[in-house]
Amino acid sequence: LESTITLINDLRAQKEHLTIRLDGNAQFELTQLLSFLNALEKKCGPIRSFIDYIEEPFFNYHDYYLFQKLSLIPYALDESLLFFQDSLDQLPKKCFLILKPSLMGISKGFELIDRNPHKVIVSSTYETATAIRPLLYLAALNTLTAHGLDTLKFLPKHLGIDVDHFSLSF
């Protein structure tokens, strides 16, 4: 908590209107997350003004439904999106969807962007140079948001592409 508070305050001191996406990595129970957010608000100011969403906060899926009733902070579904894919219409309007086409398929990616473009973030999962191109195409269809295509930095140079040259052209 303290390192998160320090990081957020340092970032906001450098760029006042910065919005932040937190990743819970399915580590929280509902009461833990509410306490965490309360502590952030005490030390960093009104959190709704700088938190874009919290990605995958809960390890208990039931907590997602309770959280939407108790908090104004949006959440994002990433890996757990697979469990909700048959009931996406029941998710709250403020919910973001982190789309990993390598897990759900490109067709599902097109469908989700068509249905709700401003809440879909295209994300990568260590795709190689040839596999990243469809993700870049999906991201280009949805220019309303910033996407998460930065896992290339973890690949050996010969498998990835230079991130300075992200392009759909060859």
Side-chain angles (χ1 to χ4, degrees), residues 73-92:
I73 302 296
Y75 60 82
L77 299 176
D78 191 351
E79 290 85 1
S80 66
L81 183 57
L82 294 170
F83 299 105
F84 289 95
Q85 68 181 335
D86 294 331
S87 58
L88 292 176
D89 294 335
Q90 297 174 19
L91 293 173

Side-chain angles (χ1 to χ4, degrees), residues 34-53:
L34 293 173
S35 294
F36 180 84
L37 293 173
N38 187 41
L40 276 184
E41 190 151 78
K42 285 181 182 174
K43 301 281 183 153
C44 302
I47 56 176
R48 188 60 191 109
S49 67
F50 64 86
I51 294 180
D52 198 13
Y53 60 74

Side-chain angles (χ1 to χ4, degrees), residues 8 12 17-23 37 40 46-57 67 71-77 93-98 117-121 144-148:
I8 288 172
R12 292 187 69 219
H17 299 291
L18 181 74
T19 58
I20 297 169
R21 295 173 173 176
L22 299 175
D23 191 342
L37 293 173
L40 276 184
I47 56 176
R48 188 60 191 109
S49 67
F50 64 86
I51 294 180
D52 198 13
Y53 60 74
I54 302 171
E55 181 179 330
E56 287 290 326
F67 183 72
S71 177
L72 295 175
I73 302 296
Y75 60 82
L77 299 176
K93 299 283 186 238
K94 62 184 179 180
C95 181
F96 286 79
L97 306 176
I98 311 296
H118 64 287
K119 299 288 185 173
V120 176
I121 293 93
L144 301 173
T145 191
H147 299 281

Side-chain angles (χ1 to χ4, degrees), residues 23-170:
D23 191 342
N25 288 316
Q27 298 297 308
F28 290 95
E29 289 183 353
L30 179 62
T31 55
Q32 291 173 310
L33 183 60
L34 293 173
S35 294
F36 180 84
L37 293 173
N38 187 41
L40 276 184
E41 190 151 78
K42 285 181 182 174
K43 301 281 183 153
C44 302
I47 56 176
R48 188 60 191 109
S49 67
F50 64 86
I51 294 180
D52 198 13
Y53 60 74
I54 302 171
E55 181 179 330
E56 287 290 326
F58 302 112
F59 60 82
N60 178 348
Y61 295 117
H62 181 69
D63 285 344
Y64 286 103
Y65 295 104
L66 294 174
F67 183 72
Q68 74 184 2
K69 296 175 190 287
L70 299 172
S71 177
L72 295 175
I73 302 296
Y75 60 82
L77 299 176
D78 191 351
E79 290 85 1
S80 66
L81 183 57
L82 294 170
F83 299 105
F84 289 95
Q85 68 181 335
D86 294 331
S87 58
L88 292 176
D89 294 335
Q90 297 174 19
L91 293 173
K93 299 283 186 238
K94 62 184 179 180
C95 181
F96 286 79
L97 306 176
I98 311 296
L99 175 66
K100 290 192 170 143
S102 57
L103 296 177
M104 296 187 75
I106 293 294
S107 297
K108 190 66 165 179
F110 283 110
E111 176 190 332
L112 290 173
I113 287 174
D114 279 346
R115 285 173 53 191
N116 202 1
H118 64 287
K119 299 288 185 173
V120 176
I121 293 93
V122 179
S123 182
S124 56
T125 52
Y126 310 107
E127 282 83 4
T128 60
T130 54
I132 197 76
R133 293 199 187 284
L135 276 66
L136 293 172
Y137 183 75
L138 282 174
L141 292 176
N142 182 2
T143 59
L144 301 173
T145 191
H147 299 281
L149 301 171
D150 63 345
T151 56
L152 287 172
K153 64 187 172 200
F154 298 111
L155 292 176
K157 292 278 186 212
H158 70 283
L159 293 177
I161 60 173
D162 184 355
V163 294
D164 292 334
H165 298 100
F166 263 16
S167 173
L168 292 175
S169 62
F170 295 91

